[in-house]
Amino acid sequence: MRFPVYLDHAATTPLAPEVLEAMMPYFSDHPWNPSATYSGGHEAREAVEAARRQVAELVGASPDEIFFTSGGTEADNWALKAVPVPSTDEPPQVLVSAIEHAAVLETAEALGRRGWEVVRIPVSNEGRVEPNDVEKRITFRTAVVAVMLANNEIGTLQPINELSEICGERGVPLHVDAVQALGTTELDVRALGASTVALSAHKIYGPKGAGALYVRAGTALARWMDGGSHEHGMRAGTLNVPAIVGFGKACELVRERREADSERLRHLRDRLCRLVLERIPDVRVTAEAAERLPQFAHLCFRGVEGHAILTALDTAGIYASAGAACSAGSVATSHVLRAMGIPDEWARGAVRLTLGRTTTPDDVDYTVEVLATTVSELRGGAR
């Protein structure tokens, strides 16, 4: 067994060796600007377009519907801030699910500071958005609806197809943050029906600093960054060729491995949850009955502080988290668990364990052993 035991793949994934190999030439031997007119620039441009095709092929899009960004956060910002505003004298409205990633929630709040009305869509106690809750909240002022495909804390999947039908009937664009879902669940943007979809490389064993926004053909979306004519004139700025090439290669690997990876991760996840429930009393698997990503094991330990558990895991060489990496250091109860109605005595003991390609059965067994000992000690030795 290798240390550390890394169980925080939802935060980021290690760069795949094949991805690094694909990227390396564009750091040094071929460092050309893809906007340059000489042959080196053409070479870099071809590499970017090859990566665009790889991303498009993974998600079922046309290459001209893929726009590269610096990551999922930028893609979310673009999708929400660049939509057309309804023609009305009243303030425009944005609908977001109550369990969105901060990249969406904070962007919505920024719109709120501009005078928009921000409406949060509730979720069930299993973390699911109910379509009728979206339908009854859409008004003539609604400019955009944002619901993520898979939650980044508990891994629950949302009924995006049904939401797409509702939004389509009302002529309202639907934005989907699919950053967490991309690597282990099938994603076909055509079937999904969303207007825009945010993607990121570093959750699928690609580099940090690379992402994309899928914009369905015919979707009205304003130019995002002013400057040059990059990305079909929609997002100015010199392209990060190595990162984009890495993103493309990571997408190619997902296409080859996703089915096998997902099955193996589901088996390991189920083993972990089963052993935890057998060994430790007063613990629940969050959203256990819901459809969720195969690598997610979100656990709540009653009467124990999650940060104390994580400290003990870290000491034992296990890397895990309580929730979103961008919220690390916060002592507040997770907004996702609050939205689900989970009582504080359970929510304070939340631990998120997310598995990946290198996770082994020995890693799972060792983690369960450490958790059992830690929780028993934190509870004063009571088992």
Side-chain angles (χ1 to χ4, degrees):
M1 185 169 61
R2 296 188 307 172
F3 287 96
V5 173
Y6 185 60
L7 298 180
D8 200 21
H9 290 81
T12 195
T13 55
L15 194 70
E18 300 94 330
V19 171
L20 179 59
E21 183 180 2
M23 294 172 63
M24 286 302 294
Y26 298 94
F27 285 113
S28 54
D29 295 339
H30 306 285
W32 324 121
N33 188 322
S35 297
T37 58
Y38 44 75
S39 57
H42 179 74
E43 178 186 342
R45 191 158 56 252
E46 282 297 310
V48 167
E49 294 311 312
R52 198 186 309 276
R53 289 191 295 272
Q54 288 170 313
V55 176
E57 286 170 4
L58 177 61
V59 300
S62 170
D64 60 9
E65 296 175 310
I66 299 295
F67 297 86
F68 288 117
T69 67
S70 62
T73 294
E74 184 190 337
D76 285 330
N77 271 260
W78 185 0
L80 267 62
K81 291 178 177 177
V83 293
V85 176
S87 299
T88 171
D89 293 333
E90 299 184 48
Q93 183 187 74
V94 54
L95 272 58
V96 296
S97 86
I99 61 171
E100 291 298 302
H101 188 279
V104 168
L105 292 179
E106 291 297 324
T107 300
E109 291 304 318
L111 291 173
R113 291 190 290 274
R114 298 181 186 176
W116 289 46
E117 180 188 10
V118 180
V119 178
R120 295 204 181 192
I121 308 160
V123 296
S124 70
N125 57 12
E126 291 291 330
R128 184 181 191 271
V129 171
E130 298 300 334
N132 65 319
D133 282 331
V134 174
E135 187 169 23
K136 67 186 180 183
R137 285 171 170 78
I138 292 178
T139 74
F140 65 94
R141 296 187 291 114
T142 305
V144 62
V145 175
V147 178
M148 65 200 328
L149 179 54
N151 183 262
N152 58 293
E153 291 191 26
I154 59 175
T156 50
L157 294 165
Q158 299 299 337
I160 300 300
N161 297 89
E162 296 175 63
L163 300 181
S164 295
E165 289 184 14
I166 292 169
C167 290
E169 291 171 356
R170 305 292 289 272
V172 175
L174 173 66
H175 172 61
V176 173
D177 182 327
V179 166
Q180 201 69 72
L182 184 61
T184 55
T185 190
E186 185 175 359
L187 175 56
D188 183 333
V189 292
R190 296 268 189 267
L192 205 63
S195 302
T196 53
V197 179
L199 309 168
S200 181
H202 79 103
K203 307 288 185 162
I204 60 168
Y205 305 88
K208 298 171 182 63
L213 181 67
Y214 158 77
V215 182
R216 188 179 66 205
T219 298
L221 200 67
R223 182 178 189 179
W224 175 233
M225 293 176 67
D226 295 319
S229 59
H230 314 82
E231 292 303 276
H232 308 296
M234 294 292 285
R235 180 192 181 270
T238 302
L239 295 174
N240 184 347
V241 178
I244 288 171
V245 168
F247 188 12
K249 184 63 178 180
C251 287
E252 179 184 290
L253 294 177
V254 168
R255 290 187 71 205
E256 296 172 357
R257 302 178 181 182
R258 179 173 54 205
E259 187 173 345
D261 280 352
S262 297
E263 182 61 28
R264 191 183 72 86
L265 290 170
R266 184 176 293 105
H267 175 76
L268 286 175
R269 188 271 312 276
D270 291 348
R271 174 192 180 100
L272 189 156
C273 292
R274 174 176 55 79
L275 292 175
V276 164
L277 293 171
E278 289 175 356
R279 292 287 306 275
I280 306 172
D282 283 334
V283 58
R284 63 168 62 167
V285 178
T286 309
E288 185 176 17
E291 184 181 7
R292 64 193 198 280
L293 296 176
Q295 72 271 35
F296 271 71
H298 189 281
L299 308 168
C300 288
F301 298 89
R302 186 177 184 181
V304 184
E305 295 296 327
H307 67 83
I309 297 174
L310 294 173
T311 298
L313 290 177
D314 190 10
T315 301
I318 301 168
Y319 291 175
S321 68
C326 58
S327 300
S330 172
V331 296
T333 303
S334 159
H335 73 283
V336 174
L337 303 185
R338 289 198 307 271
M340 295 169 64
I342 295 177
D344 281 354
E345 63 176 333
W346 289 95
R348 283 196 298 268
V351 174
R352 182 187 70 177
L353 305 173
T354 47
L355 289 57
R357 288 177 184 167
T358 60
T359 307
T360 67
D362 285 345
D363 292 337
V364 167
D365 294 347
Y366 175 67
T367 300
V368 173
E369 189 63 37
V370 173
L371 279 172
T373 300
T374 297
V375 173
S376 177
E377 291 175 351
L378 291 173
R379 288 174 173 166
R383 297 298 294 269

